[in-house]
Amino acid sequence: MVDEDEADIESVVTNPPASNPEPDLDDPSLYLNRELTWLAFNRRVLHEADDPRTPLLERVKFLAIVSNNLDEFFMKRIGGLKQQVAAGVHSPTVDGRTPMQQLDECRAEIAAIQTDQERIYREVMAALEEHDIRLVKVDSLPKDVRERLREHFRTNIFPMITPLAMDPAHPFPFISNLALNLLVRLRFPGGSETYMARVKVPVSKDVSKRLIQVDGLNTFVTLDDLIVNNLDMLFPGMEIESCELFRVTRNAIVEPEEEAASDLLEMIETELRERHFAPIVRLEVQAGMEPVHRGMLAAELGLNEADDVYEVGGLMGRRDLFEIAGLEIPELRDKPHRSGDHPVLGNDRRNIFHIIRENGPLLLQHPYESFSTTVERFLTTAAKDPKVLAIKMTLYRTSGGAILDALIKAARNGKQVAVMVELKARFDEAANIGWARRLEAEGIHVTYGVLGLKTHCKLIFVVRRDYSQLRRYYHIGTGNYHGGTAKLYTDLGMLGCDEEIGQDLTELFNYLTGYSPPPSYRKILAAPYTLKRGILEKIEREIRVHERPVEQGGGDGLIQMKMNALEDPDIARALYKASRAGVRVDLIVRDTCRFRPGVPGLSENARVVSIVGRFLEHGRILYFRNGGNEEYLIGSADMMRRNLESRVEVHAPVENSELRQELRLILDVQLADQRSAWEMQPDGSYLQRQPDDENAKGTQETLMGVAEKRLSAAAKHKEKNLRSRLLSHFEHRLANSL
């Protein structure tokens, strides 16, 4: 008789269990949709407006951010999808959706977001009233207040309004992108025929803000409501039948043929003019608008009423809530944050190039460390340092100010200055044209990048004569050279003078201002030629090293990536392979993410975390354990096909051990966050982590505290060294006097 255990063993040997089948990495179900995951990110941002832990005026800010984000989503993403549909594109994306399917799903998700928006808006406005902050109707105010507002309207606003009739003699007027408009129906006294007119609400810095403060109190009325209550001035003697608010959104994607342009700057100026007249992709109408008026507007604007018209309850154009969010009421806002000095630079006022040369590379963390006392100091020092011979720089977005002033001063001081201005930075084209012309007028060599590619890398390159040799200094960043966003976005930068990186940047700038790129670089990875290939090779290497025997350093593979978006299918596919091979994959992805963690047999070793807080996460970090021979890189590129294949981007290695410790802290804090982190589930949905301690701090609060402690510790160390030197000095003097 055969023992039961022996029978079981024999059965296993003769009929071994089937191994896990190789997954089909082309299966569309493995890849999430770019547009839908971006909308999911906006849901996470909207949650901050809904979260009672968020200070009240910050909740107002997040409502405004979501409204502004959705405006841009319609202009860029919905506009692009509608273009594809109009062009007859039916081919699916990697997630298996055609442009039409994406449009339908996006519209459904947007409708759901707007429902939540309106609920949260009502709740937040009710909470504001408890603190005597109100947005009210003009006709609800006392008579004397209404009279003062009427006089303000007569004096400051009325002269700027031009009502436009709509009848056979007056064609339907042009409607500007995102402008607020009143559709007025009126009649002559005693007449039976009605007429239509359009009144544009003149919101601008030169005329009036959207929200008008009443008598210096925290009571506001909207400019459009003030106009509604004074229509008798615009249409004297007429009877007003109705007045309804509407707004349109136009497609921002106007891509002329760059190769056919003889002058790129002129081409971009033409594009801006054409964008003004671009097709309309959305019509927003006041809730309860008469159906016949709604249909008329949709028809005149060439829209599908069922798909492209959105009713808005409450305030239309909620991005204007930034005006309330900016109220100076400390108890209703986040604790004020003032960027501190870098712990090395803040306690050393010597020439910054001497500090870099003697100290080694410096890692900059914005907004925890000041942009002005680090990046701007680097550039302004270069402008006036007599030993600096040349400055080269890329500008994607900038606020001007100290950055442009330094470049101009450098040119006036006789230095060679070359600036690569990216004219095609979406929504900043007009500003960049202005900066380019100003720089050219100062004799600065301005170029507009490489034909067919956007230049998105963030680089400053300085050539300085140190003693008897030339030395190359640089700043490599993840964020734009913009003093405003440096206070609102989390970004990283590295100041250094590594010789090989300096040689790489020399060749890169020659490519930007000249023609052919080098076949490879010594240390940096640069798109569109070496970055994507380099990242894929590092992922493959991590798999190979992980699969080695433990005694040869295998078995502990780890890839960690922090970025804004993961959209490139090749990168997602490679990460799936790594996870299936047993490599641990940690992804910190702010918004768009195609990769699904936790898929059985495929990505069980992976996780995706999204951080949403008071600052916009914008830094990019790549980490590969590499069997203990670790690699860290920072740079400008997200893992998106456009960044890796259609832009000039740079990622640079961080080799200094102290700087690596700083990057390790950032990654560890974000992955462990229990307050502001959201974890993606296998189906692509997100769950916000819930802390055991209600006083738990999020990533950004933690890193603010770390920056303060580092600066304080550095100052004490400096004082200690100073006291020690002074004591030695006086002891020496005392000894000499005896």
Side-chain angles (χ1 to χ4, degrees), residues 67-301:
S67 180
N68 190 68
N69 285 353
L70 286 177
D71 286 345
E72 290 198 9
F73 185 76
F74 272 93
M75 286 189 282
K76 294 193 293 186
R77 306 310 312 157
I78 296 296
L81 289 172
K82 287 174 75 76
Q83 280 184 335
Q84 292 179 47
V85 170
V89 176
H90 300 292
S91 56
T93 53
V94 68
D95 54 274
R97 293 172 173 84
T98 65
M100 193 69 243
Q101 288 174 319
Q102 293 180 73
L103 267 179
D104 289 342
E105 292 188 52
C106 285
R107 285 164 175 157
E109 180 61 18
I110 289 166
I113 290 174
Q114 288 187 323
T115 298
D116 287 343
Q117 261 188 310
E118 292 182 8
R119 172 187 60 80
I120 296 167
Y121 171 76
R122 292 191 298 270
E123 293 173 0
V124 168
M125 297 310 290
L128 287 172
E129 285 208 33
E130 296 177 9
H131 295 274
D132 295 322
I133 304 170
R134 297 179 177 86
L135 179 59
V136 301
K137 292 289 188 181
V138 171
D139 58 14
S140 70
L141 295 168
K143 182 179 179 182
D144 61 324
V145 178
R146 295 200 307 272
E147 288 175 351
R148 286 196 293 275
L149 284 171
R150 184 173 175 86
E151 185 56 33
H152 169 72
F153 174 81
R154 183 196 312 277
T155 305
N156 300 301
I157 299 166
F158 174 67
M160 297 303 300
I161 298 178
T162 304
L164 297 175
M166 292 184 287
D167 58 34
H170 302 85
F172 190 82
F174 174 79
I175 308 296
S176 302
N177 184 43
L178 300 181
L180 292 160
N181 304 270
L182 295 169
L183 182 66
V184 185
R185 187 179 68 182
L186 38 83
R187 71 172 73 242
F188 287 100
S192 58
E193 188 173 358
T194 60
Y195 301 87
M196 304 295 290
R198 172 263 196 163
V199 176
K200 182 178 179 179
V201 180
V203 176
S204 75
K205 63 180 181 180
D206 298 319
V207 180
S208 175
K209 293 182 178 180
R210 170 80 185 286
L211 304 185
I212 300 171
Q213 205 163 7
V214 178
D215 289 345
L217 305 173
N218 289 331
T219 298
F220 298 85
V221 298
T222 64
L223 177 57
D224 33 295
D225 188 43
L226 183 59
I227 295 173
V228 170
N229 279 269
N230 290 281
L231 285 174
D232 59 307
M233 289 192 199
L234 295 171
F235 303 102
M238 301 290 283
E239 294 178 1
I240 308 300
E241 292 283 312
S242 66
C243 184
E244 299 157 319
L245 193 65
F246 72 95
R247 188 174 83 138
V248 304
T249 309
R250 291 183 178 272
N251 188 356
I253 300 177
V254 181
E255 298 287 356
E257 286 295 325
E258 183 177 326
E259 288 77 4
S262 59
D263 187 319
L264 186 59
L265 188 143
E266 183 178 315
M267 183 201 77
I268 298 298
E269 289 181 313
T270 301
E271 177 188 335
L272 290 177
R273 288 193 294 270
E274 290 179 355
R275 189 182 296 171
H276 185 65
F277 300 98
I280 293 169
V281 296
R282 174 179 63 168
L283 168 64
E284 294 173 282
V285 300
Q286 176 181 318
M289 174 179 274
E290 291 190 29
V292 66
H293 294 166
R294 171 184 168 133
M296 180 271 291
L297 286 173
E300 290 285 357
L301 298 170

Side-chain angles (χ1 to χ4, degrees), residues 339-591:
S339 300
D341 288 327
H342 186 280
V344 173
L345 299 177
N347 295 294
D348 194 335
R349 305 317 300 170
R350 292 179 299 156
N351 184 304
I352 194 169
F353 299 110
H354 297 175
I355 299 171
I356 295 169
R357 187 179 66 223
E358 295 173 16
N359 184 85
L362 303 175
L363 186 73
L364 313 179
Q365 300 182 43
H366 311 301
Y368 314 119
E369 295 164 355
S370 168
F371 181 78
S372 62
T373 62
T374 54
V375 177
E376 288 180 357
R377 177 180 170 185
F378 179 75
L379 193 56
T380 54
T381 301
K384 61 187 179 183
D385 186 334
K387 293 188 176 181
V388 168
L389 306 178
I391 300 172
K392 301 180 182 182
M393 185 175 184
T394 60
L395 283 179
Y396 190 75
R397 304 185 198 274
T398 182
S399 53
I403 295 292
L404 262 66
D405 290 344
L407 293 170
I408 291 169
K409 185 173 183 178
R412 290 176 178 175
N413 286 342
K415 304 179 192 307
Q416 295 181 29
V417 182
V419 181
M420 213 313 298
V421 178
E422 178 49 71
L423 295 180
K424 295 176 290 181
R426 184 74 64 189
F427 305 123
D428 275 294
E429 297 95 336
N432 285 4
I433 287 171
W435 304 137
R437 284 186 165 146
R438 182 180 169 191
L439 293 172
E440 285 178 325
E442 294 289 341
I444 292 172
H445 182 64
V446 177
T447 62
Y448 306 126
V450 180
L451 195 67
L453 302 174
K454 278 189 179 181
T455 302
H456 191 249
C457 51
K458 302 15 172 140
L459 304 171
I460 304 174
F461 180 66
V462 174
V463 180
R464 186 177 190 271
R465 182 169 294 283
D466 283 3
Y467 304 112
S468 60
Q469 69 176 52
L470 294 182
R471 192 184 300 272
R472 290 171 268 214
Y473 294 85
Y474 51 81
H475 171 266
I476 299 173
T478 68
N480 298 305
Y481 294 111
H482 193 295
T485 56
K487 297 175 183 177
L488 303 173
Y489 295 5
T490 70
D491 269 305
L492 298 165
M494 182 169 61
L495 295 172
C497 60
D498 178 89
E499 180 61 25
E500 290 185 293
I501 291 179
Q503 291 180 48
D504 285 347
L505 295 181
T506 299
E507 295 174 6
L508 179 75
F509 271 102
N510 288 343
Y511 167 50
L512 290 176
T513 58
Y515 282 103
S516 60
S520 63
Y521 295 97
R522 296 156 189 83
K523 287 188 176 181
I524 69 170
L525 295 177
Y529 297 104
T530 67
L531 178 56
K532 182 173 179 177
R533 183 177 73 244
I535 293 171
L536 291 173
E537 287 173 353
K538 291 178 188 300
I539 295 172
E540 287 290 335
R541 182 192 63 194
E542 197 69 25
I543 296 171
R544 291 196 305 272
V545 172
H546 176 79
E547 291 176 338
R548 291 176 186 166
V550 174
E551 58 272 16
Q552 296 179 21
D556 66 344
L558 175 61
I559 296 170
Q560 294 178 321
M561 295 183 172
K562 171 175 163 53
M563 66 201 95
N564 301 333
L566 197 174
E567 176 271 339
D568 185 88
D570 297 325
I571 299 293
R573 193 176 287 112
L575 291 172
Y576 276 136
K577 289 180 181 178
S579 177
R580 189 170 190 273
V583 175
R584 201 167 89 230
V585 177
D586 293 334
L587 304 176
I588 304 169
V589 186
R590 187 188 71 196
D591 49 76

Side-chain angles (χ1 to χ4, degrees), residues 603-665:
S603 56
E604 293 164 306
N605 294 315
R607 57 177 166 169
V608 176
V609 173
S610 174
I611 305 292
V612 180
R614 67 187 287 180
F615 305 123
L616 182 72
E617 288 292 330
H618 197 252
R620 291 97 167 180
I621 305 171
L622 304 179
Y623 169 79
F624 303 90
R625 179 171 283 165
N626 191 25
N629 187 20
E630 298 174 305
E631 286 191 342
Y632 289 85
L633 300 98
I634 64 169
S636 59
D638 287 311
M639 299 300 103
M640 302 184 74
R641 178 169 284 172
R642 71 183 187 195
N643 295 80
L644 301 174
E645 299 180 6
S646 304
R647 291 186 173 185
V648 180
E649 306 271 14
V650 169
H651 267 61
V654 178
E655 298 172 320
N656 179 276
S657 60
E658 292 182 5
L659 272 54
R660 289 180 168 204
Q661 288 176 6
E662 295 181 44
L663 294 176
R664 171 49 46 205
L665 178 65

